[in-house]
Amino acid sequence: MKKVNLVLGILFTWTLFFITSVTTQAATLPKPEQDGYVQDFAHVVSNDTKEELNELSKKLEIATGAQIYILTVDTLGGMDAATYGTKIVRSWGIGSKEKNNGVLILASFGEAEGDRDLHITVGQGLEGALPDAKIGRILDEYMVPNLRAENYDAAFSSAYKVIYNIVAEEYNWNGTVDNPVKSEEDGLSPLTIIIIVILFLIIYSIFSKGGGGSGGSRGRRRGMYDYGGGWGSFNSSGRSKSSGGSFGGFNGGGGSSAGGGAGRKW
């Protein structure tokens, strides 16, 4: 009888542990309580940027059925970003149920180990247009540099617009916008230009006095990916405590994801 009670006690303990673990994990996933497509729980995106991206997302969904969402959180609750993003896409139903054409741009801003993660999760229906390698380049060239510089609006707006244009072109929709400038291609500051001019004049003066010819140096342009382009400068500095815009409530389309996408630490 004692052995039976012991076995029952062990089974009860394990069952309770399992239920508690599942409940705790589920509790770490936020619900889409904010208006629109930008679910900014970390309060880092300005209202102007939210309004702009919400409007673009609405147009894209009406024209193509695809959905692009942004989610910011303070912590991933110990979960890796890829798993977290996939669970969000599935639980929120991002994208069309028939086409699974949803995209989630996820970023965590906590200071705990495992946070400050980025991941862009892609539904199966868009994995051809947005393969992992292309997502990785978008993160490296647009999101990571801007996030590290605390240009949060620039990070989300630039990555979003690149993805937005790729999705629009995938569906042959002419609603594309100007592609953003990569972080490394931003214009030179006035001070940098002055220093370059002074150095040029000094070097020119030295070679002119020596009477020697100046050997021209060929500049080498950096290669551009197909989604590069010209766009205006961003204006963001640090976190902006903000609330959601005047958009309708959350409206997922029933889409899912098989875990496609890519992530980075920032």
Side-chain angles (χ1 to χ4, degrees), residues 30 34 36-42 44-45 49 53-54 56-57 60 67-74 76 81-82 84-90 92 94-95 101-109 117-123 126 130 134-136 138-140 142-144 146-147 151-167 180 250 257 260-264 266:
Q34 303 177 18
Y37 301 80
V38 181
Q39 300 287 312
D40 181 28
F41 291 95
V44 294
V45 184
T49 297
L53 300 186
N54 277 330
L56 288 174
S57 290
L60 182 71
Q67 293 181 328
I68 304 175
Y69 274 82
I70 290 174
L71 171 62
T72 71
V73 293
D74 287 322
L76 299 179
Y84 195 100
T86 301
K87 286 181 177 290
I88 288 290
V89 171
R90 291 174 179 173
W92 291 9
I94 297 175
N101 53 357
V103 177
L104 174 69
I105 303 173
L106 166 69
S108 68
F109 287 81
D117 267 353
L118 283 174
H119 197 273
I120 297 178
T121 307
V122 181
L126 287 174
L130 290 165
K134 183 174 286 188
I135 291 295
I138 293 171
L139 290 170
D140 291 337
Y142 295 94
M143 289 208 75
V144 172
N146 281 310
L147 286 176
N151 296 326
Y152 301 131
D153 278 0
F156 290 104
S157 181
S158 60
Y160 175 93
K161 289 179 178 179
V162 172
I163 294 171
Y164 172 93
N165 283 340
I166 292 172
V167 174
F250 177 84
S257 171
R264 295 288 188 271
W266 67 275

Side-chain angles (χ1 to χ4, degrees), residues 34-251:
Q34 303 177 18
D35 290 343
Y37 301 80
V38 181
Q39 300 287 312
D40 181 28
F41 291 95
H43 306 292
V44 294
V45 184
S46 71
N47 285 331
D48 288 343
T49 297
K50 286 181 184 179
E51 184 176 348
E52 179 189 20
L53 300 186
N54 277 330
E55 188 63 38
L56 288 174
S57 290
K58 183 178 180 181
K59 292 179 181 179
L60 182 71
E61 182 178 359
I62 292 172
T64 69
Q67 293 181 328
I68 304 175
Y69 274 82
I70 290 174
L71 171 62
T72 71
V73 293
D74 287 322
T75 179
L76 299 179
M79 204 181 303
D80 69 272
T83 301
Y84 195 100
T86 301
K87 286 181 177 290
I88 288 290
V89 171
R90 291 174 179 173
S91 63
W92 291 9
I94 297 175
S96 163
K97 185 176 182 180
E98 295 76 22
K99 298 179 181 178
N100 287 323
N101 53 357
V103 177
L104 174 69
I105 303 173
L106 166 69
S108 68
F109 287 81
E111 300 297 336
E113 185 177 354
D115 286 326
R116 298 182 83 81
D117 267 353
L118 283 174
H119 197 273
I120 297 178
T121 307
V122 181
Q124 297 98 309
L126 287 174
E127 287 183 355
L130 290 165
D132 295 357
K134 183 174 286 188
I135 291 295
R137 290 197 296 270
I138 293 171
L139 290 170
D140 291 337
E141 296 172 2
Y142 295 94
M143 289 208 75
V144 172
N146 281 310
L147 286 176
R148 288 177 176 171
E150 297 186 355
N151 296 326
Y152 301 131
D153 278 0
F156 290 104
S157 181
S158 60
Y160 175 93
K161 289 179 178 179
V162 172
I163 294 171
Y164 172 93
N165 283 340
I166 292 172
V167 174
E169 291 169 1
E170 175 72 7
Y171 286 95
N172 297 314
W173 179 51
N174 62 356
T176 56
V177 296
D178 290 340
N179 267 321
V181 175
K182 298 175 188 177
S183 179
E184 64 186 14
E185 295 176 304
D186 289 338
L188 298 174
S189 67
L191 178 60
T192 304
I193 294 174
I194 292 172
I195 292 173
I196 292 173
V197 170
I198 293 173
L199 289 175
F200 173 80
L201 292 175
I202 292 173
I203 294 172
Y204 178 79
S205 175
I206 292 172
F207 275 89
S208 296
K209 290 179 180 179
S214 60
S217 61
R218 295 184 180 180
R220 189 176 70 182
R221 295 186 63 181
R222 301 178 67 90
M224 293 281 288
Y225 294 111
D226 58 344
Y227 48 80
W231 191 53
S233 62
F234 300 108
N235 183 15
S236 172
S237 59
R239 296 194 179 193
S240 58
K241 296 291 182 181
S242 57
S243 58
S246 57
F247 243 74
F250 177 84
N251 186 25

